[in-house]
Amino acid sequence: MSEIKQKQEKNNELTPREIVVELDKYIVGQKKAKRAVAVALRNRMRRLKLDPELREDIAPKNILMIGPTGVGKTEIARRLAKLAGSPFIKVEATKYTEVGYVGRDVESMVRDLMAAGFQMVKQEMQETVTAEAEKRAEEALLDLLLPTNEKPHKEAKPKHGPVMRPMGTFTINPENSNSSIIATTLQLGFPIGKNNQQQAINDDANNLKIAEEEMKKANDPTPQEAKENEEKFKATKEKLRTMLREGKLDDRTVELMIAQSSPFPAFEMMGSSMEDLEASISGIAGMLGGNQKKKVFSVARAKEILKAEEAEKLVDRDKVSEEARARVEETGIIFIDEIDKIAVKGERGGGPDVSREGVQRDILPIVEGATVNTKWGPVNTDHILFIAAGAFNVSKPSDLIPELQGRFPLRVELDSLGKDDFLRILTEPKNALIKQYTELLGTENVKISFAPESIEHLAALAAEVNSKLENIGARRLHTIMEALLEELSFEASDIAPAEIDITVDYVNQKLADIVKDHDLGRYIL
């Protein structure tokens, strides 16, 4: 069993409390949101253990996250999907328009999810055949480096064979035809001596017989010769195999026939017919043979290409499609961001807006449960988990159409981040910002160390700027860290090796003036 499969089975046994602990490794705070998604994930695992008859009646409890930008809404959904090994996509509600208008239709989110699921399952199945794919790729590469030892058949050329001489050309105009055929007249004969015609004919016959015997001997070696040739070929091939595995042939070049990407530009159409059209175009391109081309690669690169091709051949695409479709339907997660931007505020006097209320009406059947046609087959959305999110700073969840509100029964409000949260974000998570910047500059042989009080000062500055300017949550830390280390990052390669201490004075020197000057701060921070 592959490592990915074992990890998925282990994660499927996580309790809600353990799921929250895993999320805490990457996301600071937001306990309510973490508990909600942990329960939703655990309920999906519980549902899969029920009888099929009862299982069909249990729908997922979709979640609506409400909170300002940069507080962790997207990260919670993404980490949850990764933890569960579920197909996951993030879409923006503002990208869609009502059916019948130019723009993306809402069904494309399901097709995108199915594409993600197909790629996920395909990668997992390819990992199970890695050893066989490497073996086949190695053999194919050796065949390119050392062609087969079979000698090509050569026609014998007798010394006094038949002679053909061109005598001239003439034109034929067939009846009822607009074209002409140009033909050549040839003279065929044997060379004849001046004194003895019969002797010349006998000599030619003997020469032909000798040539045939020599050709037969060359093409049909004796068993001993054939055995020696085969042993030589095997020994040479094994020597090349050893050199190939040791990387001694990586710089040599070979010529490969590779598949080219489709010459047709990517485009999107309304409705599900797009999938059929794309499949038809791909089929036509394949039949025309326009997707194959010879290219020269280094042996190292050719080995990777051949390995990928062999892995592709070893995996059953129908089996991948079937497994991916089942996984998408049972465990898929779609995260719809910016849903507050399609909420209609106040009076609807101007009529329905195709980029707002119309989109809500089109999203509704997808969330309720519908069947969407994809190039891998129909996908049912009854049990896909939908997580919607929005800041709702200029609109309210109640501005959504009532039917859509009802399809998101779990409402979770995320808290704004303060100084203490920023301090934890800088230091606690596995991917903490302080650790990221330290490791990045470490690659240039520049060692930076942050004093505890300087980190606390950075957190306080982030909270202050968010309170005075727009509140963009944890994203403010990225802008502050970049402004703080901009000069050092630019000069790192010139001053290396070096050790730099990031103190409170250093922070004030780089940032204090920017924070105090509101006009300058608006542009830089």
Side-chain angles (χ1 to χ4, degrees):
M1 186 183 296
S2 68
E3 293 182 7
I4 293 180
K5 198 74 175 175
Q6 290 177 345
K7 187 177 179 181
Q8 286 178 358
E9 290 186 357
K10 181 181 178 181
N11 290 340
N12 286 340
E13 299 302 321
L14 292 176
T15 64
R17 192 179 302 278
E18 291 170 337
I19 293 170
V20 171
V21 171
E22 290 296 319
L23 293 175
D24 283 340
K25 294 178 181 178
Y26 299 95
I27 302 130
V28 170
Q30 313 304 353
K31 290 185 178 180
K32 292 180 182 178
K34 290 176 184 175
R35 287 171 64 93
V37 297
V39 170
L41 182 60
R42 185 64 179 179
N43 281 337
R44 303 188 87 186
M45 300 172 189
R46 292 165 179 160
R47 173 184 163 274
L48 294 175
K49 297 178 181 179
L50 298 175
D51 294 332
E53 185 176 351
L54 181 59
R55 186 190 308 167
E56 288 302 313
D57 295 330
I58 298 178
K61 304 302 183 288
N62 298 321
I63 301 169
L64 177 62
M65 294 185 181
I66 305 166
T69 184
V71 296
K73 301 187 294 294
T74 305
E75 191 66 15
I76 287 174
R78 183 180 286 115
R79 293 292 175 182
L80 183 74
K82 191 172 182 180
L83 189 63
S86 302
F88 170 83
I89 60 161
K90 172 184 178 289
V91 299
E92 283 79 29
T94 51
K95 284 187 178 180
Y96 302 101
T97 60
E98 187 177 353
V99 170
Y101 293 84
V102 176
R104 291 187 59 128
D105 64 289
V106 295
E107 288 187 352
S108 65
M109 69 173 69
V110 182
R111 292 194 285 269
D112 291 344
L113 180 66
M114 183 60 199
F118 182 87
Q119 197 61 32
M120 175 187 290
V121 175
K122 177 181 166 185
Q123 185 178 354
E124 289 176 11
M125 290 190 175
Q126 284 180 345
E127 288 185 1
T128 63
V129 296
T130 299
E132 180 64 22
E134 285 182 350
K135 183 179 176 182
R136 292 190 181 190
E138 187 179 79
E139 289 298 326
L141 198 51
L142 287 172
D143 289 341
L144 290 171
L145 293 167
L146 183 66
T148 179
N149 62 338
E150 292 182 2
K151 295 180 180 177
H153 295 281
K154 295 182 179 179
E155 295 183 3
K157 294 182 179 179
K159 296 178 181 179
H160 301 288
V163 176
M164 288 189 296
R165 295 176 180 170
M167 300 294 292
T169 61
F170 58 93
T171 305
I172 302 174
N173 293 305
E175 296 181 2
N176 302 324
S177 174
N178 295 325
S179 59
S180 300
I181 301 174
I182 299 176
T184 302
T185 306
L186 301 174
Q187 181 187 42
L188 177 64
F190 290 87
I192 299 174
K194 292 181 180 179
N195 298 325
N196 195 338
Q197 179 178 353
Q198 186 62 41
Q199 183 64 37
I201 294 173
N202 292 338
D203 289 344
D204 287 330
N206 290 334
N207 288 335
L208 282 170
K209 187 174 181 181
I210 291 170
E212 288 174 357
E213 289 176 357
E214 289 178 354
M215 182 175 68
K216 185 176 180 182
K217 183 178 180 181
N219 292 329
D220 298 321
T222 63
Q224 182 64 26
E225 290 174 338
K227 186 177 180 181
E228 289 177 359
N229 290 340
E230 186 177 352
E231 288 176 355
K232 275 185 187 180
F233 181 77
K234 286 183 178 178
T236 305
K237 190 172 184 179
E238 289 306 312
K239 185 178 179 182
L240 276 176
R241 190 190 304 276
T242 303
M243 294 174 68
L244 180 63
R245 290 176 178 176
E246 292 175 353
K248 295 179 179 179
L249 304 177
D250 285 354
D251 294 333
R252 292 184 60 177
T253 58
V254 292
E255 192 175 58
L256 286 182
M257 185 76 82
I258 63 168
Q260 293 288 95
S261 58
S262 174
F264 298 96
F267 59 92
E268 192 151 341
M269 295 175 58
M270 296 299 162
S272 60
S273 60
M274 176 198 64
E275 304 296 330
D276 300 329
L277 185 60
E278 283 183 353
S280 300
I281 290 175
S282 300
I284 293 170
M287 287 188 291
L288 293 176
N291 58 347
Q292 293 286 327
K293 185 178 180 181
K294 279 187 177 181
K295 291 190 74 174
V296 176
F297 297 97
S298 67
V299 168
R301 177 63 180 148
K303 188 176 181 181
E304 294 299 319
I305 293 172
L306 290 169
K307 180 182 173 183
E309 288 182 354
E310 293 299 333
E312 184 87 22
K313 294 175 186 175
L314 289 168
V315 170
D316 185 351
R317 290 183 69 87
D318 292 334
K319 188 175 180 181
V320 173
S321 299
E322 185 179 344
E323 171 66 21
R325 192 162 60 249
R327 193 177 297 188
V328 165
E329 291 181 342
E330 298 295 334
T331 66
I333 299 175
I334 295 180
F335 181 78
I336 307 175
D337 202 6
E338 309 292 352
I339 199 167
D340 58 314
K341 303 301 187 294
I342 62 170
V344 181
K345 307 187 300 293
E347 297 293 329
R348 300 193 178 105
D353 186 339
V354 297
S355 65
R356 290 188 175 184
E357 188 171 326
V359 177
Q360 293 183 56
R361 289 198 304 267
D362 287 345
I363 290 178
L364 181 61
I366 302 294
V367 179
E368 285 181 335
T371 299
V372 177
N373 290 324
T374 73
K375 66 174 72 175
W376 298 280
V379 175
N380 187 279
T381 67
D382 284 344
H383 299 99
I384 292 176
L385 177 65
F386 290 86
I387 302 176
F392 289 100
N393 48 5
V394 294
S395 61
K396 304 182 295 295
S398 57
D399 290 328
L400 296 168
I401 60 175
E403 296 87 350
L404 191 59
Q405 292 182 49
R407 283 295 165 179
F408 289 91
L410 299 183
R411 306 280 178 88
V412 180
E413 188 167 354
L414 284 80
D415 303 321
S416 295
L417 301 177
K419 175 187 169 183
D420 293 339
D421 297 313
F422 289 142
L423 182 61
R424 293 179 60 195
I425 291 171
L426 285 169
T427 56
E428 289 185 11
K430 277 189 173 182
N431 56 347
L433 281 177
I434 295 294
K435 182 179 179 181
Q436 290 181 27
Y437 282 95
T438 302
E439 295 295 328
L440 281 173
L441 289 171
T443 61
E444 299 274 8
N445 204 14
V446 174
K447 182 180 179 181
I448 60 172
S449 55
F450 287 82
E453 56 272 15
S454 65
I455 298 176
E456 188 173 350
H457 190 47
L458 284 171
L461 286 177
E464 181 184 351
V465 174
N466 269 351
S467 64
K468 292 179 179 178
L469 305 177
E470 293 293 330
N471 184 3
I472 60 172
R475 294 188 178 94
R476 185 69 69 187
L477 289 173
H478 291 273
T479 58
I480 285 181
M481 290 294 291
E482 282 294 327
L484 174 69
L485 300 174
E486 180 185 11
E487 184 178 343
L488 187 57
S489 297
F490 184 82
E491 297 176 348
S493 55
D494 299 326
I495 64 174
E499 294 187 9
I500 307 294
D501 293 326
I502 309 297
T503 61
V504 175
D505 291 338
Y506 186 96
V507 174
N508 285 330
Q509 180 187 349
K510 300 295 182 183
L511 299 177
D513 292 338
I514 301 175
V515 173
K516 290 177 182 177
D517 188 339
H518 288 192
D519 292 332
L520 184 60
R522 285 183 186 277
Y523 289 102
I524 297 180
L525 300 179

